[in-house]
Amino acid sequence: MNMSDEDVIEYFAIGSMMNKTSLTMRDLRPSKSRPAFLKDFELIFGMKYGMAAARRSPGREIHGVLHRITKEELIKLDKIETWYVREKVEVSSYEGDMSKDNQTTIAYVYVFNPELVAKDPELFKEHPPKERYIDILKEGAKEYGVDKNYISKTLETVYYVPRKSKTDLKSFDLLIQKRSEDSTILPNWTMEELREKDKENSDNVFIALNKNILRLDISEPCAHRDILQTSRGSQLAFIIAGKWIYDPMFGVPANYEEMSEDQCRAVEDWFIEFFLVGDMENSWSLVAQLL
């Protein structure tokens, strides 16, 4: 089926969506992608974990990847980019030598939502990105042929927070120790037993995270309710590594058995740091060990 010009959108990616793997993991499949630049804007990294955004800055320039996507994919992006709003801008695409044959195009770029910034400027304060995140940007920029000078003088000079050392990674073993609980007396379950247990009560989500089987209480409103509902009865470590969080250092596993011990530990750390906080901090329990 051929799409009309009204059915397609030009989207200028400057963050993780410059990367083919990040796009694929979110089921975004541009019909055309090419390097481009946006004048009078600069690349910033804001919020606690240093997320990329465009900000108006006369005389500056951002390079990224111009993707041709569908309206449905744009709606999907809007849902992903919850802290941002789209701004319509004019970008110039190029192939190889950016000084020749530039083609200007009207496209959307995501900027931090000014209303949210005004309400809580501290939340959107600039912070350095994580090493994993900046690696995604650099890998994607190189894949799509973004100007080498921009990569070397901008992306490769960004100050970032290094990956944690193995001794700094959070784990359920450490959390259980802090709770003064004994994981050695827990029962052993198979994945089939886990899935059967998960069917008993819709307000209790049972998932495996590596060898740990968790019960997550979502009876009260919580930020992660919807995403946990879609992951019920699963080996969540694989879903995180295979569908949610791309790390160029490990790649994307085809199944859980393909994940290295280091990747499993990194995923466990990520889940504890991002999910077991706020309204979920005291709404979980370790109920069994996975056979």
Side-chain angles (χ1 to χ4, degrees):
M1 181 178 69
N2 294 325
M3 291 186 294
S4 69
D5 291 342
E6 295 181 354
D7 294 324
V8 296
I9 304 291
E10 299 289 359
Y11 156 56
F12 183 56
I14 59 170
S16 62
M17 296 305 169
M18 287 195 292
N19 193 292
K20 292 180 182 179
T21 302
S22 295
L23 290 166
T24 302
M25 290 176 74
R26 289 159 180 80
D27 199 26
L28 299 170
R29 305 181 188 281
S31 59
K32 185 176 182 179
S33 300
R34 59 274 198 213
F37 62 89
L38 169 62
K39 290 186 175 181
D40 297 323
F41 278 78
E42 66 178 334
L43 175 67
I44 63 168
F45 296 93
M47 306 191 71
K48 181 179 179 181
Y49 297 105
M51 308 307 292
R55 181 172 65 189
R56 287 192 177 275
S57 182
R60 302 292 294 275
E61 192 172 272
I62 302 179
H63 286 246
V65 182
L66 185 62
H67 298 300
R68 185 168 295 168
I69 61 176
T70 65
K71 288 183 178 180
E72 289 74 21
E73 288 173 321
L74 184 66
I75 292 171
K76 189 178 296 185
L77 273 171
D78 285 343
K79 292 179 180 179
I80 293 171
E81 309 292 6
T82 54
W83 301 102
Y84 300 77
V85 293
R86 284 185 273 120
E87 188 166 328
K88 190 174 288 187
V89 294
E90 184 179 273
V91 300
S92 300
S93 60
Y94 57 89
E95 297 288 344
D97 187 350
M98 60 168 287
S99 65
K100 299 178 181 178
D101 300 323
N102 294 335
Q103 183 175 353
T104 59
T105 306
I106 300 300
Y108 286 114
V109 68
Y110 283 92
V111 301
F112 285 136
N113 188 322
E115 292 185 4
L116 297 180
V117 173
K119 289 180 181 179
D120 192 352
E122 188 65 25
L123 177 65
F124 291 88
K125 188 176 179 181
E126 289 187 53
H127 285 91
K130 302 283 189 179
E131 184 177 6
R132 179 190 69 84
Y133 185 68
I134 199 67
D135 281 352
I136 291 172
L137 271 60
K138 290 188 292 186
E139 182 181 82
K142 292 173 183 177
E143 284 177 333
Y144 281 112
V146 169
D147 181 57
K148 292 181 180 179
N149 285 333
Y150 181 81
I151 294 173
S152 62
K153 295 180 180 179
T154 300
L155 296 183
E156 291 185 349
T157 61
V158 170
Y159 172 74
Y160 58 79
V161 179
R163 285 181 174 84
K164 292 182 180 180
S165 66
K166 291 181 180 181
T167 56
D168 291 331
L169 293 174
K170 296 178 181 179
S171 69
F172 284 105
D173 287 343
L174 293 174
L175 288 182
I176 293 303
Q177 289 178 21
K178 288 182 180 179
R179 286 184 167 192
S180 299
E181 298 176 7
D182 185 1
S183 61
T184 62
I185 62 174
L186 293 173
N188 294 316
W189 291 1
T190 63
M191 285 298 297
E192 288 73 20
E193 289 173 310
L194 181 159
R195 294 187 185 104
E196 286 302 313
K197 191 70 176 177
D198 183 65
K199 297 175 182 178
E200 294 180 0
N201 187 335
S202 62
D203 285 334
N204 288 327
V205 173
F206 286 81
I207 54 99
L209 202 297
N210 295 324
K211 65 179 181 178
N212 309 287
I213 296 179
L214 308 176
R215 179 178 60 225
L216 302 160
D217 183 354
I218 58 171
S219 58
E220 298 296 325
C222 63
H224 302 302
R225 182 184 179 91
D226 289 345
I227 199 167
L228 288 173
Q229 286 276 33
T230 64
S231 308
R232 306 186 70 110
S234 69
Q235 174 51 266
L236 193 60
F238 169 63
I239 292 178
I240 292 171
K243 297 182 179 180
W244 295 355
I245 303 298
Y246 172 49
D247 191 333
M249 186 168 74
F250 299 118
V252 181
N255 48 58
Y256 178 68
E257 289 69 29
E258 191 178 286
M259 293 174 62
S260 67
E261 181 180 350
D262 285 346
Q263 187 173 21
C264 289
R265 292 185 61 188
V267 165
E268 189 166 320
D269 171 83
W270 182 88
F271 178 81
I272 292 169
E273 185 166 312
F274 284 89
F275 267 70
L276 300 188
V277 294
D279 44 31
M280 288 301 299
E281 185 173 4
N282 298 308
S283 298
W284 67 276
S285 55
L286 182 62
V287 295
Q289 297 285 301
L290 184 64
L291 282 172

